[in-house]
Amino acid sequence: MDTIPTDWKWIIMTNVDKLFNRINPKSGEFSFDENVAEVFDDMISRSVPLYQEVQQLIPRLASTLNHETLKVVDLGCSTGTSLIQIAKFFPERKLELIGIDNSKPMLERCRENIASHGFSDRIDVRHGDIRDFDFSDVSIVLMNYTLQFVAIDDRHELLSKINRSLAPGGFLLLSEKFIHDDVQIDQTLTELYFDYKRKMGYSELEISRKRDALENVLVPFSVKENQKLLQEAGFHEAELILKWFNFGTFLAHAG
Ligand code: GEK
């Protein structure tokens, strides 16, 4: 356990993720249930490379916008980390912060985290499916590591709605896991990712059980497929601003 970095509790106190030591779900049976919600912040911090960098980037990008009210919608807000970051970073600014998630256990944690930071009146958290997205004049849409859980056929429509919802100058920050077209490159990057997870303290058993559980639940696209989707949805620019092997983040401006 000495390989777990000490800064993983950087924003929220969480339980250590030992979930897949304890449970062995069938292939494709991963869900955001109570078990996952309980350890989620540790799970995502140790499983997603550049997660903290993405979180720290969000308020910095937000500060480039001069919208009178900074309206941020976080799709798949999970435990509220991104919205809490923004509320912390802008104590004086007029904010409208909305989080959407379809997992009740995740939202329960989210509300607890928000309350523990004293932001219950600054962050509005709603239970719902992000495919029912219906907002306007949004400064920033965050969709970090969530589109990959949405059915492939629904991705275009969701991204089109997001594009239409953005205020002038507004943007989407989209983070995803990637596959790579070249089989050899894909295998190499997957191996490097498993090395990363080992370094973060996960055992072979935990790595392989989680991989099986996510089969056909998390369906990643390649960088090119995501860029094509974003362009077809009407985004004007979709720049890959961060990439760590098979994870990355796009900044996409409204078209
Ligand atoms: C973070 N963005 O901390 N509608 C609503 N919520 C959904 C849907 C859907 N159709 N599908 C999945 N979710 C966060 C991390 S986690 C990523 C996002 C991960 C929710 C799901 O319940 C979960 O909370 C979140 O999207 C994905 O930056 O665990 O790899």
Side-chain angles (χ1 to χ4, degrees), residues 38 50 89 101 105 135 140 156 161 235 238 243:
E38 200 177 298
L50 298 183
F89 197 84
D101 207 288
F135 292 95
I140 304 171
H156 170 79
K161 283 201 272 183
F235 284 93
K243 188 168 189 279

Side-chain angles (χ1 to χ4, degrees), residues 30 32 40 44 48 51 55 74-79 81-82 100-103 106 128-131 143-146 148-150 218:
F30 183 90
F32 292 95
F40 182 78
I44 195 156
V48 175
Y51 180 75
Q55 298 306 326
D74 187 0
L75 301 178
C77 64
S78 297
T79 50
T81 305
S82 304
I100 315 279
D101 207 288
N102 65 357
S103 158
M106 296 293 276
D129 194 305
I130 60 171
R131 287 170 292 189
M143 187 158 50
N144 291 321
Y145 317 104
T146 301
Q148 59 200 11
F149 291 103
V150 172
L218 189 169

Side-chain angles (χ1 to χ4, degrees), residues 70-77 83 86 95-101 110 114 122-127 133-136 138 140-142:
L70 188 68
K71 179 170 175 179
V72 182
V73 182
D74 187 0
L75 301 178
C77 64
L83 295 172
I86 296 173
L95 301 174
E96 196 177 335
L97 304 177
I98 303 157
I100 315 279
D101 207 288
C110 183
I114 289 170
R122 298 199 88 198
I123 305 176
D124 172 11
V125 173
R126 304 178 191 173
H127 179 248
F133 183 91
D134 183 20
F135 292 95
S136 57
V138 184
I140 304 171
V141 173
L142 301 172

